[in-house]
């Protein structure tokens, strides 16, 4: 059996998807947020990194360090066909507006079959989890939870030592207990640090493979609206194209009041809205919706806010990105915080 050639430059946003935002399916325009500049380039040069998904050699048995890249390569052809079919369907329905007595009917036709919806939910879930931005989220999640985890670990070690003393009827010297605790704690933190330093691709891959089905189910449970952009402003995409906007307090993909958007191309976008808060949109589920200029700006802003570094467009028209970066420079920094911990203080009359 012939082995697949080794892939060096590995995309975390597929080229077949990025081509949907290219006028000629090769060149695309890029805005680099930290450097405040735009430039044209080939789709093969963006949303990628050398050996991004490669496992450390010691982590694979058999020694296939590119197993995740091979999985994604196999999915890309199916994903490309799905997007092509979806665009033909959207175009076919939307053309009915030019037919006498059909202009209002286009907004009552279901766009996707149940199978197509499930397939697209899976595509969106994988895309949400596979990017460099999400990998940074994983690292930051470890950093912000480290004090709590260390506290729990310390309590667990002390409890285990107490149980040992009870079982053996031995009272260990306090200095010995402190030494045992430090030894176990230091060994644990050393192992975890090593994992994140040298095996981050493995941690990311495990997270993706463990949770993409659950994420797909959550996405599929929302109200789906397919926005059609017939304005003069193209929709952006980015190096993290599945974006979120919380209308209430929390930004989790299952949170009440969450809106999630995924541009299909520069003229169409999948909008997913949580059912409880957006219940008045239930009758629009799986239907087309014409976008206004304000809508297009809203979803383009979400790409700017949620992207790691790069925003992509069909033309060199990034005035909105420049404005956001000038007004909110923290949004355009790669080192910005992605997780915000809120301490909720109990009310005076609540039981603690």
């Amino acid at each position: 059996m012939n082995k697949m050639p080794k892939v060096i430059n590995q995309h975390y946003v597929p080229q077949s998807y990025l081509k949907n935002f290219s006028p000629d399916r090769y060149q695309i325009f890029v805005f680099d947020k930290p450097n405040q500049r735009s430039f044209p380039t080939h789709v093969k040069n963006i949303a990628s990194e050398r050996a991004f998904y490669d496992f450390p050699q010691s982590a694979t048995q058999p020694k296939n360090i590119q197993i995740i890249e091979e999985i994604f390569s196999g999915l890309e052809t199916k994903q490309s066909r799905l997007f092509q079919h979806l665009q033909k369907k959207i175009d076919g329905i939307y053309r009915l507006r030019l037919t006498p007595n059909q202009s209002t009917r286009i907004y009552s036709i279901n766009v996707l079959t149940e199978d197509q919806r499930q397939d697209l939910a899976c595509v969106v879930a994988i895309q949400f989890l596979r990017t460099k931005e999400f990998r940074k989220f994983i690292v930051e999640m470890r950093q912000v939870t480290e004090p709590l985890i260390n506290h729990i670990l310390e309590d667990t070690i002390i409890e285990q030592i107490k149980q040992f003393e009870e079982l053996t009827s031995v009272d260990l010297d306090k200095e010995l207990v402190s030494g045992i605790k430090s030894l176990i704690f230091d060994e644990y933190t050393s192992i975890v640090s090593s994992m994140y330093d040298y095996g981050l691709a493995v941690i990311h891959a495990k997270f993706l493979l463990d949770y993409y089905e659950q994420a797909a189910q959550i996405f599929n449970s929302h109200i789906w609206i397919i926005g059609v952009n017939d304005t003069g402003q193209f929709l952006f995409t980015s190096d993290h194209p599945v974006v979120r906007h919380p209308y209430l307090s929390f930004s989790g993909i299952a949170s009440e009041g969450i809106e999630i958007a995924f541009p299909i191309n520069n003229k169409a976008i999948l909008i997913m809205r949580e059912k409880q808060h957006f219940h008045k949109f239930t009758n629009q589920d799986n239907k087309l919706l014409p976008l206004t200029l304000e809508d297009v700006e809203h979803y383009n802003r979400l790409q700017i806010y949620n992207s790691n570094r790069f925003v992509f467009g069909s033309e060199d028209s990034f005035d909105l990105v420049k404005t956001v970066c000038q007004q909110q420079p923290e949004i355009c920094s790669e080192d910005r915080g992605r997780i915000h911990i809120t301490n909720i203080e109990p009310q005076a009359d609540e039981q603690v």
Side-chain angles (χ1 to χ4, degrees):
M1 182 181 294
N2 294 328
K3 292 182 66 176
M4 290 183 62
K6 189 173 182 179
V7 179
I8 304 300
N9 187 41
Q10 300 172 6
H11 282 77
Y12 42 83
V13 181
Q15 292 185 66
S16 60
Y17 168 77
L18 294 169
K19 287 178 180 179
N20 296 333
F21 297 83
S22 166
D24 59 4
R25 296 189 64 79
Y26 294 100
Q27 180 175 272
I28 197 168
F29 292 92
V30 181
F31 191 91
D32 181 345
K33 294 193 301 183
N35 291 325
Q36 297 281 291
R37 69 184 185 95
S38 62
F39 56 91
T41 190
H42 195 289
V43 295
K44 69 182 180 182
N45 299 325
I46 57 174
S48 61
E49 192 169 297
R50 287 178 60 89
F52 183 73
Y53 296 114
D54 283 7
F55 287 179
Q57 192 73 56
S58 60
T60 54
Q61 294 293 335
K63 295 181 179 180
N64 181 4
I65 65 172
Q66 295 205 318
I67 186 170
I68 298 299
E69 173 63 23
E70 290 178 10
I71 290 172
F72 287 150
S73 296
L75 291 174
E76 188 162 346
T77 301
K78 295 179 181 179
Q79 177 176 315
S80 180
R81 289 173 183 165
L82 175 62
F83 279 125
Q84 290 174 14
H85 181 77
L86 179 57
Q87 187 56 53
K88 287 180 181 179
K89 205 166 187 181
I90 292 172
D91 290 344
I93 296 172
Y94 199 55
R95 276 198 300 270
L96 291 175
R97 78 192 191 284
L98 305 176
T99 305
N101 304 319
Q102 295 291 325
S103 59
T104 57
R105 180 171 171 261
I106 64 173
Y107 304 116
S108 62
I109 299 173
N110 286 331
V111 179
L112 298 168
T113 66
E114 187 56 40
D115 286 345
Q116 289 169 345
R117 180 166 173 150
Q118 290 177 359
D119 288 345
L120 186 53
C122 187
V123 167
V124 176
I126 292 173
Q127 183 57 75
F128 176 65
L129 296 169
R130 68 180 287 185
T131 63
K132 185 173 184 176
E133 175 68 13
F134 192 83
R135 184 174 289 187
K136 288 186 174 182
F137 170 84
I138 294 173
V139 172
E140 189 169 329
M141 177 64 77
R142 182 219 168 193
Q143 292 169 346
V144 300
T145 59
E146 191 171 26
L148 175 61
I149 292 172
N150 288 347
H151 178 72
I152 294 171
L153 176 61
E154 189 171 0
D155 287 347
T156 302
I157 294 171
I158 292 172
E159 181 60 30
Q160 292 296 316
I161 291 174
K162 285 181 179 179
Q163 290 181 14
F164 173 80
E165 289 179 325
E166 291 174 0
L167 286 171
T168 60
S169 300
V170 172
D171 291 326
L172 297 176
D173 180 77
K174 288 184 179 180
E175 189 172 330
L176 178 59
V177 170
S178 178
I180 294 172
K181 185 175 70 173
S182 296
L183 181 65
I184 297 173
F185 188 86
D186 291 347
E187 183 67 18
Y188 167 81
T189 54
S190 175
I191 291 171
V192 172
S193 295
S194 179
M195 287 171 56
Y196 275 83
D197 288 341
Y198 302 107
L200 186 54
V202 179
I203 295 171
H204 188 184
K206 179 169 174 52
F207 200 104
L208 196 155
L209 296 174
D210 285 350
Y211 291 106
Y212 85 89
E213 289 183 342
Q214 180 181 344
Q217 290 173 1
I218 292 171
F219 289 143
N220 199 10
S221 71
H222 294 325
I223 296 166
W224 280 30
I225 299 168
I226 295 84
V228 179
N229 176 21
D230 208 15
T231 73
Q233 173 62 55
F234 288 139
L235 287 162
F236 294 157
T237 191
S238 70
D239 54 10
H240 185 68
V242 181
V243 296
R244 294 170 290 167
H245 178 66
Y247 281 82
L248 299 177
S249 300
F250 301 106
S251 59
I253 62 173
S255 298
E256 183 179 355
I258 195 67
E259 177 184 59
I260 300 156
F262 178 55
I264 297 167
N265 53 46
N266 58 22
K267 289 291 187 180
I269 187 169
L270 171 62
I271 303 162
M272 293 163 279
R273 292 172 173 165
E274 180 271 327
K275 285 182 176 177
Q276 185 170 336
H277 181 73
F278 294 104
H279 58 88
K280 65 180 180 180
F281 294 95
T282 302
N283 63 348
Q284 294 182 2
D285 188 37
N286 201 17
K287 306 293 194 302
L288 296 184
L289 175 73
L291 299 178
T292 65
L293 273 172
E294 290 76 16
D295 293 330
V296 174
E297 179 175 326
H298 167 68
Y299 293 113
N300 282 349
R301 281 181 176 271
L302 294 187
Q303 291 298 321
I304 300 167
Y305 297 154
N306 286 259
S307 56
N308 174 53
R309 176 169 181 168
F310 299 111
V311 178
F312 309 132
S314 301
E315 56 185 24
D316 192 5
S317 180
F318 294 110
D319 288 346
L320 181 62
V321 193
K322 295 174 185 176
T323 298
V324 169
C325 290
Q326 289 169 2
Q327 295 175 347
Q328 301 171 268
E330 70 281 1
I331 293 294
C332 297
S333 170
E334 283 192 281
D335 298 326
R336 69 188 183 280
R338 292 162 176 81
I339 301 171
H340 303 284
I341 303 294
T342 302
N343 291 322
I344 302 175
E345 297 294 334
Q347 298 296 320
D349 58 349
E350 289 181 338
Q351 296 293 323
V352 178

